[in-house]
Every structure is written in structure tokens, then in C-alpha cells.
Amino acid sequence: MKLQLFLYFNCLSVVVKGFLIPHCHPKSTTGLWETTIDNEIELNPLLSSIKPSKTVEIFSLVKELQAQGQSVTSLCVGEPDFAPPKAVLEAAQKALVDGDTRYTAVTGTADLRKAIAADLKKRKNVDYNPNTDIVVANGAKQAVYQGILATVGTGDQVLIPSPYWPSYPEMVRLTGAEPIIVPTEAKDGFLLTPQSLELALKEHSNVKLLIFCNPSNPTGGVHDERRLQELVEVLKKYPKVLVMADEIYERLTYTSTGSCPAFASYLPDRTMTINGFSKAYAMTGFRLGYLAAPAKIAKAVTTLQSQFTSCAGSVSQAAGVAALTQVPEEELQEKFTEMKCKRDYVLNRLSKMPHVEVAVPPQGAFYVLPDISYYVNSERDDSKFCVELLQTYKLALVPGSAFGAPGTVRISYATSMEELEIAMDKLE
């Protein structure tokens, strides 16, 4: 489309495809210009099937209200309220001072890939070759999308247990594949059962990938070793189905064992492990995550990333090395203990609210997904419920329907205890 502008006597005329359109009203000049261009722009039809992130929408509204000077209590974003460990901040500062500010290899620095491989071996007892099996990305979210894009496409189906992280089905749609939602139940702690998994695999013959978040966002559910073994026995019957194990919350586990088993320890040749530094180390702004997978998949992901963003930031990677090699376990455990206390506080307050139910206490991550279905109906769904909370009480929660769980709300307790007290008072 060729555009030409003619300015004369304070009038604007636009030539669009050979037609001269005069306009002499200064107040509406911008509107004409925008409308003319908008009518000519054609977007990718694929976007019509993609939903915007509800969490981002709510968070944006919160920021708008705060910019207007209003005080808003927000429990909508999964971001720890504590600072990154001192060793991480010092490593980032040192990298800047030392001039470690250049491009790195697409897969990440050798030091970080070696540190990731060593950490996974030490804590999870899984083996990855740092030279061929690990790709460092700009956050775990990028690693998830690239892993999906590398393994599925048009005609394929992807199993996603619900409730789910809202980005999973949208990322699948972006590849041309079809997301297949596998429901779970509150009475089971929203855990995927082997029966549900097998039924879904039998009913959908084109399944190529299972996306499995453990611990779960948004439920906080943790699949233990026994449950994983049961799921693996089902998957062994379907050798062409890959697994994307999103384990970004695995350090935040409150079970009796205090750990979350790695899916790759059961199906190493078919599992893509996703992890990162945002949740356990509070490094959300560093945008640092990784994919660990069989070499063939890691190579494909590397090719994709080389055309998307090249490498993760060098300073962030230096900080990541420090996180894995210099931060004492005791320092992390102190923060995790604080998080568990916050979880217990929220559960206690919710238990005293009439008609608000949490069937099984969450055992990981930093979310609670209470059932508030008593307070919603066909005319006032959970989305309207959350809008009313924000408008009337200045409390920001995310509606459960965004996670495939209508009639619930997601509460993130990764904030200060003072904020949690205010939030629970408002909700009550």
C-alpha cells in the first residue's frame, strides 16, 4: 500500500491507492489517518484463535489503577516478593563491570550449561550432556514454546491436563496443532490419573505430546513418585507420545519428602524438562530458563531459537551460574519455609469463609485455587466476580476460567504477609 501526505492551509489530504481524501478538521485528523490504515492492514488469521493472557490483562488493570493513585492489593502474578540471593546480584554486577556483555552461544554459556547439568544430576538424578542436551532461553516460557514448536504441528494433538497454565493451549494453537484438555477433579487434588490419561490417549489417535506441569500452576498440586510411575506405565503403551515436563516450581514443594520427582528419570528418551530461575531464585526480571531434552530435540530447539532471539542475556546467564553454584541450600530453604507459612495462612483464612472450598491443600508452587462457585452463576461468572472484586474492593485475583477451571479463582500467595492479610480481609 502506497501512502502520500499533502499538508496545505492546515488541511490534511491522504492519497490511498490513488484516491485523494481531503480532511480539514484538525481534531479528527488522527482518527482519519488511523482508520484509513487500519482498514488496509491484514493480520495473520491465526491470531483470531489465540486468547490474550487473562493474568496479563488483570495485571495491566492493576497497574492502570495504581498509576491513577489508587491502592490495589494484587494476588494475580506468580512472582516471589523476596529479592534474588546476594550471590546472584553480585555475580550480575561483576559481569557488568568485567564487560561480560556480549552475545553468547545460542544454547547458552558453557559454564551455565555445565552448572545446569550438574544440578539436575545432583538433585534429580537425571543425566544430560551439557554440550548437546541443554538450551538456555529467555525465560522458561520461551523454552516451553520452542519445545512445543519443535515437536508438533498441523494435524497433531497435545494433551493438557486442566486446570492448566493459560499459555499452554495458546502455544499449541500457534503451532497449528490441537490442544486436547484432560479434566482433573478437585477431590483428587487436581492430579492427573492414569485412567484419565489412558482414556484420552485411546480417544485421540493423533496425540504426539503430553504437557505436564508438576507442581501445578494454578492448583499447587504435586504428583508424587507413585503417581508418576502409574502415568509412565500408561505412556509406555504409546511410544510415540512425548512428554514436556514443566518443573519450574519443583523447588517449591511442601510434601513430607520435600521434593518433586523428575519425569525424565522415568522416560528420559521421551521427556523435555523445562525449568528456570524465576520462581525458586526470584529472578523473574532476569528472564532465564532452559530446556533439557534428548539431543535431537535440543538441536531442533537451538535452530528455532537461533532465528527468534539468538541467546539469553550474558549478564543473566552469569547470575544463573551463581544461583546454581554459590547459593547455599539453607538460604533457599529459609525462603521456602516462609512460603509454606503463607500458604498455611491463606488456607486457614479461606477455611473460615462460608461456601469457599479447597478440597485438597496444595502441596507445591505458591497458588491456591479455591472453589467459589456458590457466588457465581450464568449472569455473574468468575470473570465478572474478579472484575467486581477489583472495582469495588481493589483486590486483584485471576478467574479460574482462564485456567480451564470455571467457578474458581487463583490466589498467588507469593507476596508479603501484610498484603495477604489485607487481601484475605477484602475477600472475606
Side-chain angles (χ1 to χ4, degrees):
M1 179 180 69
K2 185 177 181 180
L3 298 177
Q4 292 178 315
L5 294 180
F6 297 91
L7 291 171
Y8 54 91
F9 300 114
N10 294 323
C11 295
L12 172 70
S13 292
V14 184
V15 175
V16 181
K17 292 186 176 180
F19 294 95
L20 181 66
I21 306 175
H23 193 74
C24 298
H25 300 284
K27 292 183 178 180
S28 60
T29 294
T30 302
L32 169 67
W33 175 245
E34 291 178 349
T35 301
T36 304
I37 293 182
D38 284 349
N39 289 340
E40 294 295 323
I41 294 176
E42 293 184 3
L43 300 177
N44 188 333
L46 184 63
L47 287 172
S48 63
S49 65
I50 306 301
K51 301 175 184 177
S53 168
K54 185 65 68 173
T55 303
V56 173
E57 283 186 9
I58 297 292
F59 188 63
S60 297
L61 289 174
V62 170
K63 290 302 180 183
E64 286 182 16
L65 291 172
Q66 291 175 336
Q68 296 169 10
Q70 300 188 49
S71 177
V72 180
T73 306
S74 177
L75 304 184
C76 67
V77 178
E79 183 173 43
D81 68 312
F82 51 85
K86 182 179 179 181
V88 168
L89 300 178
E90 291 178 346
Q93 183 179 31
K94 185 176 187 300
L96 288 169
V97 173
D98 292 349
D100 188 8
T101 56
R102 304 294 183 179
Y103 291 129
T104 73
V106 172
T107 53
T109 64
D111 286 346
L112 181 53
R113 284 182 278 114
K114 288 177 182 178
I116 291 169
D119 179 65
L120 290 173
K121 177 61 178 178
K122 178 181 178 181
R123 295 191 305 105
K124 315 300 286 187
N125 196 31
V126 289
D127 292 296
Y128 287 105
N129 185 328
N131 297 319
T132 60
D133 302 346
I134 295 172
V135 182
V136 177
N138 294 274
K141 194 169 193 175
Q142 181 181 11
V144 169
Y145 179 55
Q146 291 176 165
I148 296 172
L149 186 59
T151 54
V152 302
T154 303
D156 294 326
Q157 296 173 316
V158 179
L159 298 184
I160 304 174
S162 69
Y164 47 75
W165 183 43
S167 292
Y168 291 147
E170 308 311 320
M171 288 179 176
V172 170
R173 292 187 180 97
L174 282 171
T175 70
E178 177 188 6
I180 303 297
I181 306 303
V182 184
T184 63
E185 297 186 29
K187 66 180 180 64
D188 297 323
F190 294 113
L191 302 181
L192 179 63
T193 66
Q195 295 80 10
S196 297
L197 175 60
E198 183 141 34
L199 179 62
L201 288 168
K202 286 181 178 179
E203 291 182 344
H204 301 91
S205 58
N206 295 323
V207 173
K208 193 174 179 182
L209 177 67
L210 164 67
I211 299 180
F212 186 77
C213 186
N214 192 39
S216 167
N217 173 11
T219 72
V222 176
H223 297 73
D224 60 17
E225 186 173 353
R226 179 178 177 181
R227 179 56 58 87
L228 288 190
Q229 290 174 339
E230 293 172 345
L231 297 175
V232 167
E233 289 305 310
V234 174
L235 289 168
K236 285 180 178 178
K237 303 174 187 178
Y238 300 86
K240 293 185 178 181
V241 177
L242 301 172
V243 177
M244 173 172 280
D246 186 347
E247 298 175 354
I248 187 69
Y249 296 97
E250 52 93 13
R251 297 302 303 262
L252 294 154
T253 305
Y254 317 120
T255 60
S256 58
T257 61
S259 63
C260 180
F263 209 108
S265 62
Y266 301 97
L267 285 178
D269 296 334
R270 293 161 55 187
T271 301
M272 295 177 278
T273 297
I274 303 293
N275 212 324
F277 299 81
S278 293
K279 311 305 180 181
Y281 296 95
M283 294 170 60
T284 52
F286 285 80
R287 306 313 305 132
L288 192 65
Y290 64 83
L291 174 144
K296 183 177 182 178
I297 295 177
K299 183 178 180 180
V301 168
T302 301
T303 299
L304 290 171
Q305 183 163 304
S306 71
Q307 300 298 345
F308 289 166
T309 59
S310 295
C311 59
S314 58
V315 175
S316 294
Q317 292 189 60
V321 173
L324 295 177
T325 61
Q326 298 179 29
V327 178
E329 186 67 21
E330 297 76 18
E331 183 176 350
L332 292 176
Q333 288 301 323
E334 180 181 348
K335 299 299 182 183
F336 301 159
T337 299
E338 291 178 12
M339 201 70 77
K340 183 177 182 297
C341 291
K342 294 173 183 178
R343 180 206 66 164
D344 293 343
Y345 172 78
V346 170
L347 289 174
N348 181 57
R349 290 294 302 269
L350 291 175
S351 69
K352 298 176 181 178
M353 297 181 192
H355 310 296
V356 175
E357 298 180 2
V358 178
V360 178
Q363 296 297 313
F366 36 63
Y367 307 109
V368 183
L369 194 73
D371 185 325
I372 50 104
S373 56
Y374 177 86
Y375 298 99
V376 301
N377 50 51
S378 58
E379 296 181 356
R380 182 188 187 233
D381 60 12
D382 52 23
S383 292
K384 290 184 178 180
F385 178 85
C386 287
V387 170
E388 289 178 14
L389 279 179
L390 185 55
Q391 293 177 337
T392 306
Y393 297 98
K394 302 300 181 289
L395 172 62
L397 305 178
V398 186
S401 54
F403 304 92
T408 67
V409 292
R410 192 192 72 169
I411 295 173
S412 170
Y413 52 84
T415 187
S416 67
M417 187 62 77
E418 291 75 18
E419 281 289 284
L420 286 177
E421 291 175 357
I422 295 171
M424 291 300 103
D425 288 342
K426 290 180 177 181
L427 184 59
E428 190 170 27

